[in-house]
Amino acid sequence: MSKEPSDFDTLPARRGMDWLTYSLQLLGRDIPRLLLLGLLLQLLAGLTQVGALAILFVLAVPALSAGMLQALHGVDSGLRPSPVVLFVAFTRPDRLLRLVLLGALMLAGAMAAVMMVVSGALTGLDPETISRLEQGDVEALLLMDPGLLERLMLALVFGLLVSGTISFFAAPLIWFKNMPLGRSIWLGLAGMMRNWKPLLVLGLFLGVLAVPAALLSAIVLGLNATGQGGSPLMTIVMLFVAVVYQLLLFASQYVAFRDIFRLGRPQAGTRSESDQLVA
């Protein structure tokens, strides 16, 4: 199957480090407003952890991601993003439908990936423990067999990897390029495969930066799960580090997409139709 020459560029491995460097610079241009957007997204995630709300949030993730990418696009153009830009995709019903459908495909792909890894492993688990896990009870993890817990964590990471791969370029292609759902997924995956070298370099550096954030989160969650309680200051620091790292992931996604799919740097002082909620 041939690729249309105008679809995307194939870039060298060293570009991955350039993406990370520019992502950090981009965040530094307006970190207070971007932090506010990141905290708002974390708040929405925290309020929708269980039941139907959790499913609705997962379906809305591509639309909310489009809002974060639009905010970064605004910062890249010299604009100052407003908090409402996070919901800009909800003002575009045509693209919103495709983004929600993308969320449904992400959910289905993640669930299939998780079931492949933990198939049959949860049959002997206490129903009460399963119920507590579904309700987001961290202490229930201590009741699980260590081997099963390790397998479950692996399944969750695998599921996130599958869903993230599906949407990494598909969501911005729908939002910025107004592409149909099927073509955005195919073209996004093709762009990732042809640019696996710079994306691998980017991923390795992001993985290194994730280590301190993961260690801090593990310490705080471990203290809470054992009933010892963590310092409020440490919890605040953990939240701050998590939000900053999340912003770095979004910035890296935006910069890589802009470079590979030739989105182009917007000119300062200009506003496109999708910038209407950026002030």
Side-chain angles (χ1 to χ4, degrees), residues 37 63-64 66-68 70-71 81-89 274 277-278:
L37 285 168
L64 295 171
M68 290 296 300
Q70 183 60 46
S82 160
V84 293
V85 75
L86 183 63
F87 309 101
V88 66
S274 56
L277 294 182
V278 180

Side-chain angles (χ1 to χ4, degrees), residues 30 42 44 55 94 119 133 154 165 213 228 244-245 250 253 268:
D30 201 346
Q42 285 291 327
L44 289 174
I55 296 177
D94 55 334
S119 178
L133 289 172
L154 177 62
T165 301
Q228 299 179 17
V244 170
Y245 187 76
F250 277 118
Q253 179 186 9

Side-chain angles (χ1 to χ4, degrees), residues 223-276:
L223 290 174
N224 291 335
T226 55
Q228 299 179 17
S231 167
L233 179 60
M234 184 178 292
T235 302
I236 293 175
V237 171
M238 182 196 73
L239 178 61
F240 176 80
V241 171
V243 171
V244 170
Y245 187 76
Q246 173 186 254
L247 290 174
L248 180 59
L249 292 178
F250 277 118
S252 300
Q253 179 186 9
Y254 166 75
V255 174
F257 170 79
R258 191 197 66 179
D259 205 14
I260 292 174
F261 291 92
R262 298 187 294 274
L263 180 63
R265 293 185 182 181
Q267 297 180 355
T270 61
R271 291 173 182 261
S272 65
E273 182 181 1
S274 56
D275 287 326
Q276 292 178 354

Side-chain angles (χ1 to χ4, degrees), residues 56-213:
L56 290 175
F57 179 79
V58 172
L59 295 177
V61 162
L64 295 171
S65 298
M68 290 296 300
L69 296 173
Q70 183 60 46
L72 290 163
H73 188 60
V75 172
D76 203 16
S77 70
L79 300 174
R80 303 182 69 185
S82 160
V84 293
V85 75
L86 183 63
F87 309 101
V88 66
F90 295 88
T91 67
R92 302 293 300 273
D94 55 334
R95 302 184 190 188
L96 177 61
L97 177 60
R98 280 173 277 165
L99 290 169
V100 171
L101 290 175
L102 177 61
L105 289 176
M106 290 170 53
L107 179 60
M111 291 179 63
V114 169
M115 292 308 299
M116 286 176 57
V117 178
V118 299
S119 178
L122 299 179
T123 54
L125 196 62
D126 181 14
E128 182 179 352
T129 303
I130 296 178
S131 177
R132 292 175 61 183
L133 289 172
E134 292 174 346
Q135 296 173 13
D137 187 353
V138 179
E139 294 183 4
L141 295 174
L142 300 177
L143 303 177
M144 298 179 61
D145 177 75
L148 178 58
L149 179 59
E150 180 180 351
R151 190 171 177 181
L152 181 60
M153 293 297 102
L154 177 62
L156 292 176
V157 171
F158 186 45
L160 289 174
L161 179 62
V162 170
S163 61
T165 301
I166 293 173
S167 66
F168 191 74
F169 285 146
L173 282 170
I174 292 173
W175 179 246
F176 290 112
K177 301 283 188 176
N178 198 23
M179 284 191 178
L181 177 60
R183 178 167 172 76
S184 68
I185 294 176
W186 176 84
L187 198 59
L189 293 175
M192 293 185 73
M193 288 187 291
R194 292 296 295 268
N195 287 277
W196 67 270
K197 292 181 180 179
L199 288 173
L200 178 61
V201 172
L202 176 63
L204 289 175
F205 279 103
L206 288 174
V208 171
L209 293 176
V211 172

